[in-house]
Amino acid sequence: MITAVTASEYLFSKLGSNASLLPLAVKDLANSTGLTVGSYITGKDVESKDRFIDEFGTEAIWLGGIPFFKKFADLTFYKLLGIDPKFDVRNLKNKEILAKAIEKAPTEAIKQSIIKVSQNPKYTKNLAIAKFIFSTAAAIATYAGLTKFRQHYRLEEAKEQLKEKSKNAIASSKILNTLSQKVPSAFKPVHPEKKKKDVTFSGSLQDFMFNPVKNLMILDGSITTERLASSQSKQELINYTIKEGGTWFFMYFAGAMIQKYLENKSKVPIKLDSMIIESPELKQAFSDNTIKTGIDKYEQIITDTSKEIDIYNFIHENPDNFIVKMAKKSKLIKTLKDTEIIDTRAYIDISDFKKLKSDIKELYQNAPKDNIEQYLKKVVKSKRLAVLKNIGICIGALGVLVPGFMIASRYILPNNREYKVMEMAKNENQKAKALSKTA
């Protein structure tokens, strides 16, 4: 029986996964904090407030928007149409696996729900695509609304701050009226460019639909495009270019590259999910030799010429096999709540299951004949260290390096020191004052 998941198993499993949202949330939190602090250094209150709304508001929409609208679709469209939203349409690709999913359905209700969606596969697929498009588009629209609110809020805030400064200056001295000064031409705001088309992505639609990280890439692509296209000054455009370039690299690409490097460099195998590496079942499997019997049983039945349906059958027919148990442990195989019964509505990625078997075999083959406990402790320690190094490098880059470049650009580039929104506010206040005099 699989034991309950501990906090450390869950934490390091999620932080070490390239398909999990948790490492993205941690990285973005560091990035948003660093950028907000940097904005306070260069522009004080108005700029830092604007950055805070932009970064943390965007983070909420970025991480929660798509899941929220997907859940909304499940509770409305799917419910009205009587379609089970937990059925993964990827199961429709293989008719043999689909038939087996119906045969092995854990309950009659689940069996009937699979039969219903399989009777009209085209309709089911189109509904899943519509849900994907709706949730992504709704999240993009929400961000666009935030952008308009933020730009209006920051300009009004800047104008109010200038008025307050003006009142204080008049009260203390009537010599100087800062609002009546002419703004040098070098500081005139750059008009926003015409909005360009959204970023397009190539590759399999399926990958973006069912991988939450890749799903976010589409939303992030729209956010990046919106930020660059709606920049209200050259200064803002430069800031976003630095910010978005650094974010894209360290958020989506650097982690996988660093992970692969650390796995190859490690003296012990650490490719397995932390849910497996840190589990007491792994230690027990070495002790009672079920890890070897599990590998041997798999290799006796599954060969290089075996089809996907053969592996799917193996999973269902060998629930006590160690590889199958660890696939359930790591959520590669989804089960009904608080049970080890496979939920056949969910999709099982056969290639991932085969990789799991290879990684378990590698761990077993590299184990010494004695001192297994010390070996496994070293594996756990090495895995944790690799995960923390990976996250640490990305956090350092996003929370310190990227904001540092943005601050440097304010001091190095010509006519880029003062916050341009304040200059825009000065211009608007001067125009309003001029109109009031002529009225």
Side-chain angles (χ1 to χ4, degrees), residues 394-406:
C394 292
I395 284 177
L398 290 168
V400 179
L401 192 62
V402 172
F405 274 119
M406 291 173 67

Side-chain angles (χ1 to χ4, degrees), residues 298 302-308 311-312 315 323 327 332 348-361:
Y298 178 95
I302 306 301
T303 65
D304 292 339
T305 59
S306 295
K307 297 179 181 179
E308 286 192 347
I311 299 174
Y312 192 82
I315 290 169
I323 301 169
L332 192 154
I348 299 175
D349 192 315
I350 300 301
S351 61
D352 284 350
F353 185 79
K354 290 165 69 175
K355 183 179 184 302
L356 174 65
K357 175 260 173 184
S358 298
D359 292 342
I360 289 175
K361 185 175 182 179

Side-chain angles (χ1 to χ4, degrees), residues 71-89:
K71 190 65 176 177
F72 175 81
D74 291 345
L75 296 174
T76 53
F77 310 138
Y78 275 77
K79 190 173 182 178
L80 288 170
L81 296 170
I83 302 295
D84 190 343
K86 291 185 179 180
F87 177 79
D88 194 314
V89 294

Side-chain angles (χ1 to χ4, degrees), residues 158-339:
K159 287 161 70 175
E160 287 300 317
Q161 190 177 100
L162 287 172
K163 287 179 182 178
E164 190 64 31
K165 285 182 179 179
S166 177
K167 288 178 182 177
N168 293 336
I170 292 170
S172 60
S173 174
K174 294 182 179 180
I175 299 174
L176 185 64
N177 186 341
T178 56
L179 290 178
S180 65
Q181 291 179 347
K182 187 176 179 180
V183 181
S185 59
F187 289 95
K188 287 183 179 178
V190 177
H191 293 291
E193 298 175 0
K194 289 184 179 180
K195 192 169 181 179
K196 299 176 183 178
K197 293 181 179 179
D198 288 345
V199 176
T200 57
F201 294 87
S202 59
S204 172
L205 176 63
Q206 173 183 295
D207 289 341
F208 288 100
M209 285 178 64
F210 296 101
N211 185 313
V213 172
K214 289 187 177 182
N215 203 170
L216 275 185
M217 288 177 74
I218 297 178
L219 176 57
D220 219 356
S222 177
I223 289 173
T224 298
T225 303
E226 175 73 21
R227 281 175 162 171
L228 295 176
S230 63
S231 296
Q232 293 183 307
S233 67
K234 185 177 180 181
Q235 180 186 81
E236 190 172 19
L237 181 63
I238 292 169
N239 282 345
Y240 276 138
T241 301
I242 297 170
K243 192 266 182 192
E244 295 301 317
T247 297
W248 268 87
F249 180 72
F250 287 101
M251 196 72 71
Y252 295 113
F253 304 110
M257 295 164 62
I258 296 168
Q259 177 182 321
K260 187 175 181 180
Y261 170 78
L262 294 174
E263 286 176 351
N264 292 335
K265 187 181 177 183
S266 176
K267 294 181 180 179
V268 290
I270 57 170
K271 294 177 183 177
L272 285 167
D273 193 300
S274 291
M275 296 273 269
I276 298 173
I277 289 176
E278 301 213 14
S279 69
E281 291 90 351
L282 181 61
K283 182 179 177 181
Q284 182 63 35
F286 272 100
S287 178
D288 58 22
N289 211 34
T290 53
I291 186 170
K292 184 179 185 305
T293 57
I295 295 168
D296 290 344
K297 181 70 177 289
Y298 178 95
E299 293 182 340
Q300 286 169 9
I301 298 173
I302 306 301
T303 65
D304 292 339
T305 59
S306 295
K307 297 179 181 179
E308 286 192 347
I309 185 61
D310 298 323
I311 299 174
Y312 192 82
N313 283 329
F314 176 87
I315 290 169
H316 281 279
E317 293 167 7
N318 296 274
D320 293 328
N321 183 276
F322 180 72
I323 301 169
V324 175
K325 284 188 171 183
M326 292 302 98
K328 293 177 181 178
K329 178 84 175 179
S330 61
K331 306 303 179 184
L332 192 154
I333 297 174
K334 291 183 173 63
T335 59
L336 298 181
K337 189 176 180 181
D338 299 327
T339 74

